Amino acid sequence: TTIAIYFCVVHSYFHEIAGKTPFMLLNKEIDTPSKDNPDVIEGSRFAEALYQQAKQNKFFEVSINCPGGNVVQSTNILNAILDLNLDTVGSGVAASSGGWLLLAGNKVKMYDYGVFMCHNSHGGDGTDEFNHSIATMLAARTGRNGKPQKTVDEMKALMNKTTFMTAQECLDEGLIDEIIPTPTANKALF
């Protein structure tokens, strides 16, 4: 049934680890699963899982280690993150649409080893419109840590040249709120 499917989807993305903030893990390419590409996260299902989990928990984060993917599928997740006012954590590579999902967070944190990447969408009808929309959203999500907010044209310039940034560069540019330092030693989680 539908309820069972949503439970399975939420359960597979949601994680609770002692001593850590509960989180939903976005750790694969975002696309529509197919015979040729079955191991992806479907944006509409992940978005629905976010809404379902928000009904259950008072607070959780979205942990992002994602190479990006389909713009339409990614926009489903974007809408959920914005609607639910969720915090995001860059837990590795947040590239392409994974990068703009990271910046969509209410509070945005990144591990010190994390990498952010933004670029223009590729091919198809409406590419210029998609790029303008993405740059507009990205600009609106900057200006953190007392840094000036980026303009749409500044974000388009970063996208035009395919920009990679470290966590420190993201902090310095006002794209994120906080850097999470790498732990100096592994600690038992359980």
Side-chain angles (χ1 to χ4, degrees):
T1 66
T2 302
I3 293 171
I5 291 169
Y6 285 136
F7 175 76
C8 291
V9 170
V10 170
H11 181 71
S12 67
Y13 297 133
F14 186 72
H15 302 276
E16 288 185 283
I17 299 172
K20 296 185 73 79
T21 301
F23 62 95
M24 297 278 289
L25 182 60
L26 180 59
N27 65 338
K28 296 179 182 177
E29 179 184 0
I30 303 163
D31 207 342
T32 303
S34 68
K35 180 181 172 188
D36 296 329
N37 195 15
D39 195 28
V40 297
I41 290 178
E42 187 170 358
S44 57
R45 285 188 180 261
F46 191 86
E48 184 59 34
L50 290 173
Y51 286 113
Q52 292 298 321
Q53 192 61 44
K55 291 178 184 178
Q56 313 269 329
N57 285 70
K58 292 184 180 181
F59 182 78
F60 65 94
E61 299 172 325
V62 179
S63 179
I64 300 170
N65 182 22
C66 174
N70 179 286
V71 173
V72 175
Q73 287 290 335
S74 298
T75 302
N76 289 317
I77 300 169
L78 171 70
N79 292 335
I81 291 171
L82 293 172
D83 286 348
L84 297 169
N85 206 28
L86 297 173
D87 292 354
T88 56
V89 177
S91 56
V93 176
S96 190
S97 62
W100 40 271
L101 294 173
L102 174 66
L103 297 192
N106 178 50
K107 182 173 184 180
V108 180
K109 299 181 275 187
M110 227 174 139
Y111 278 91
D112 55 7
Y113 54 81
V115 175
F116 166 83
M117 186 273 275
C118 64
H119 67 99
N120 288 320
S121 59
H122 300 293
D125 293 335
T127 299
D128 290 340
E129 291 80 4
F130 277 133
N131 291 334
H132 181 78
S133 293
I134 294 165
T136 299
M137 185 281 297
L138 289 173
R141 306 305 293 174
T142 65
R144 299 170 187 272
N145 292 318
K147 306 289 184 193
Q149 187 170 0
K150 301 277 185 209
T151 66
V152 173
D153 286 340
E154 287 173 315
M155 292 312 299
K156 281 182 178 180
L158 292 175
M159 291 167 60
N160 285 339
K161 63 181 183 176
T162 303
T163 301
F164 289 84
M165 299 172 78
T166 65
Q168 187 62 55
E169 289 169 328
C170 287
L171 185 70
D172 293 344
E173 291 294 320
L175 302 182
I176 66 171
D177 296 295
E178 177 185 335
I179 294 175
I180 303 168
T182 301
T184 54
N186 289 332
K187 297 178 184 172
L189 296 175
F190 305 99

